[in-house]
Amino acid sequence: FVALDAGTLRVGVRRAREAGSLAGIEPPEGIPWTYDAWFLRERIRAYLVTHPHLDHVAGLVLNATDDARIKPILGLASTLDVLRDDYFDGLAWPNFTDEGLDPRLGTYRLVRLEPGTAVPVEGTGLTAEALPLSHGLATSTAFLVGTAYASAYVLYLGDTGPDAVEKAGRLAAVWERVAPLVRERRLRALYLECSYPDGRPDDRLYGHLTPAWVSAELGELARRVGPAAPERALDGVTVVVTHVKPALECGAHATARDRIAAELAGHPAYGARIVVPGQGERLEF
């Protein structure tokens, strides 16, 4: 397995097991660790980190003390430099990386990715290609993760604002990159954030999306995939909604997740299947 961000880690594994999503993946008898510790140590082989905000790296940092084998952390240089200099700096937390201040414990190898260049993810049979995203003051990342033979892909986007607000054109570049994969039915899923419900002012998005902006960006992708008939251009693609922020006011809905799911259902999806998963839920594409 690879971890796509690591804001929560062992708790996420625990919830997945409780939900039955890891059925058939069992440790050998007699191990001295809990299931989630074993899974962390032995089954997660690499981390792909989109950006260094705390809610995306807290699980990685806090659980480094229990990780075992030497593993790569893949990301853009701007992300890995913050991990090294501000988290694993020997003061905020011990230096579990292979760079920076001594003592370097070397649990993690920092692997800097060049945008647009796919590299093998060691020990997984997968490849990863990093594409920059705009997230307010931070540079975030979309990871295009493929099988070794490039027969199937998923696209995981970290935090991102819409191009019309961020004015950087980075989502347009991502859509241009993956549109041929959608046409060839090789992009199985697209993980896309939706942090806030509709109605939030654009000047308070802080580099995030709402259901209306999710639909607008899916429309940009659809028009690149099938300009003659964009309304069904994303048939066969599952859009997994991530990064729903907790909210104190949800209107008539029980949770922010419920409200966002309802609002997404009211916007065009261009043929895509929209999923707003719960923690620990297993998804198949």
Side-chain angles (χ1 to χ4, degrees):
F1 294 86
V2 296
L4 294 164
D5 281 331
T8 182
L9 197 58
R10 286 177 64 173
V11 171
V13 171
R14 195 173 305 145
R15 296 278 174 83
R17 193 183 192 210
E18 290 169 354
S21 297
L22 299 176
I25 303 172
E26 297 296 331
E29 293 185 6
I31 62 167
W33 314 302
T34 61
Y35 181 92
D36 47 283
W38 167 78
F39 193 97
L40 166 73
R41 292 164 67 96
E42 301 297 329
R43 300 308 298 266
I44 295 177
R45 299 298 177 85
Y47 299 91
L48 278 63
V49 178
T50 61
H51 64 294
H53 284 172
L54 186 60
D55 57 331
H56 290 255
V57 301
L60 168 61
V61 172
L62 292 175
N63 288 288
T65 55
D66 294 321
D67 219 336
R69 63 170 68 231
I70 298 173
K71 300 176 183 179
I73 302 176
L74 292 82
L76 295 175
S78 58
T79 296
L80 300 187
D81 288 350
V82 173
L83 273 176
R84 178 195 63 202
D85 296 339
D86 295 329
Y87 293 105
F88 295 124
D89 65 350
L91 298 173
W93 209 243
N95 185 4
F96 286 92
T97 78
D98 59 347
E99 297 182 10
L101 297 176
D102 290 325
R104 304 173 192 172
L105 301 180
T107 302
Y108 302 123
R109 291 187 298 101
L110 301 181
V111 180
R112 290 167 174 75
L113 302 182
E114 292 293 328
T117 300
V119 301
V121 182
E122 181 182 329
T124 68
L126 301 172
T127 63
E129 178 180 341
L131 303 163
L133 296 173
S134 183
H135 178 42
L137 295 177
T139 297
S140 184
T141 314
F143 288 112
L144 183 60
V145 180
T147 57
Y149 298 101
S151 59
Y153 292 87
V154 297
L155 177 68
Y156 175 81
L157 291 90
D159 295 1
T160 183
D163 276 353
V165 175
E166 295 288 317
K167 309 297 185 184
R170 287 178 168 172
L171 276 172
V174 172
W175 303 146
E176 287 286 350
R177 171 67 182 89
V178 301
L181 300 178
V182 177
R183 281 194 295 271
E184 296 161 6
R185 298 297 181 109
R186 290 195 290 160
L187 186 71
R188 302 292 179 82
L190 189 164
Y191 289 74
L192 187 60
E193 73 123 92
C194 188
S195 294
Y196 300 115
D198 284 336
R200 191 173 181 91
D202 287 349
D203 63 357
R204 294 183 60 212
L205 289 178
Y206 310 122
H208 293 294
L209 299 173
T210 64
W213 279 121
V214 166
S215 178
E217 290 296 345
L218 291 179
E220 292 295 326
L221 173 59
R223 283 183 280 276
R224 287 167 171 78
V225 172
E231 63 278 1
R232 300 300 303 179
L234 304 186
D235 279 348
V237 175
T238 298
V239 175
V240 182
V241 176
T242 67
H243 208 269
V244 174
K245 287 183 175 289
L248 297 179
E249 297 180 6
C250 301
H253 303 281
T255 66
R257 187 178 300 274
D258 293 336
R259 178 177 174 181
I260 282 176
E263 290 178 350
L264 284 165
H267 292 295
Y270 302 92
R273 168 194 175 212
I274 305 291
V275 176
V276 186
Q279 189 176 27
E281 183 177 347
R282 181 185 179 113
L283 303 175
E284 298 187 8
F285 315 115

